[in-house]
Amino acid sequence: MSQSVAIYPGSFDPLTNGHGDIITRAASLFKTLVVAVAHNPNKKTIFTPEERVALIQEEFGSKFENVEVVSHSGLLVDFARERKARVVVRGLRAVSDYDYETQLALMNRRLAPEIETLFLAAREDCSYISSSVVKQIATFGGDVSAIVPPAVKRALDEKYRLGLIKG
Ligand code: COA
């Protein structure tokens, strides 16, 4: 595995310590880990794809030489093929993630049988974190510093200050 490329896709709106846990562990398993920020115009996000990429880059760009952060639109499997990646990494926090994640993994396998999905069990202390929970707390001016990296906290504080996060 140390010779290969893996993709870790997601919306990352915003990056949380839960995503950070998966990035850190996956980066140690693969020669290159491409964190792929999905640009889905149908999903309402508070951060633009460029902002989401920049926040992940700020947190991980200098920590790991083998982590690349990019945004992509279109089918994940097409992007994986373009990057010659054989593995898609996803985190599993609880049983409740299982149905959705297996649906994605099976559909991706149907579209591209050569690409495998690898699930990493979320670290225990990250298993309750989600981007929605982070946004909900930030919406009401709550402190999210224990569950997101400092750069994300600053960015959320700024959105809150500008009135750009609404409950
Ligand atoms: N730590 C923290 N949060 C986690 C987590 C972890 N380890 N694992 C999952 N989550 C949370 C996210 O915070 C997010 O929370 P939210 O719903 O509150 O925002 C939620 O799980 C969804 O996770 P995310 O990884 O962002 O998935 P997504 O459903 O937004 O996007 C894609 C999934 C991008 C992989 C998928 O839509 C995709 O591949 N899109 C491209 C188009 C395509 O190929 N479609 C066909 C696929 S079958």
Side-chain angles (χ1 to χ4, degrees):
M1 287 217 283
S2 64
Q3 291 309 305
S4 52
V5 181
I7 310 272
Y8 178 38
S11 299
F12 303 104
D13 186 54
L15 173 77
T16 69
N17 289 348
H19 297 125
D21 161 48
I22 302 295
I23 293 172
T24 302
R25 288 159 54 206
S28 73
L29 293 173
F30 297 94
K31 189 176 176 208
T32 304
L33 179 71
V34 182
V35 179
V37 175
H39 177 35
N40 177 357
N42 298 327
K43 193 164 177 175
K44 200 173 161 284
T45 57
I46 60 166
F47 291 101
T48 65
E50 293 75 23
E51 287 173 324
R52 286 178 268 150
V53 167
L55 287 170
I56 302 170
Q57 191 72 52
E58 186 168 344
E59 179 64 13
F60 291 101
S62 56
K63 255 186 210 162
F64 299 108
E65 276 183 6
N66 64 332
V67 172
E68 277 177 47
V69 190
V70 295
S71 72
H72 86 98
S73 49
L75 284 180
L76 177 63
V77 291
D78 289 342
F79 178 71
R81 281 174 169 160
E82 197 182 294
R83 294 303 313 258
K84 299 194 177 358
R86 294 279 318 278
V87 176
V88 168
V89 174
R90 295 285 288 170
L92 276 184
R93 291 165 299 173
V95 179
S96 49
D97 281 343
Y98 182 81
D99 281 351
Y100 175 65
E101 292 298 337
T102 47
Q103 192 186 358
L104 281 186
L106 293 174
M107 188 51 75
N108 282 332
R109 185 188 298 161
R110 177 167 287 270
L111 293 168
E114 79 281 13
I115 297 171
E116 285 291 350
T117 299
L118 178 74
F119 293 117
L120 294 184
R123 221 173 56 199
E124 238 176 21
D125 60 323
C126 293
S127 61
Y128 60 93
I129 306 173
S130 73
S131 298
S132 297
V133 160
V134 165
K135 284 182 280 193
Q136 197 175 75
I137 296 170
T139 298
F140 298 108
D143 183 8
V144 292
S145 53
I147 53 177
V148 298
V152 174
K153 178 175 174 356
R154 281 196 300 276
L156 283 164
D157 287 347
E158 183 62 4
K159 295 263 179 200
Y160 178 71
R161 193 181 66 78
L162 297 172
L164 296 173
I165 311 183
K166 302 210 167 50

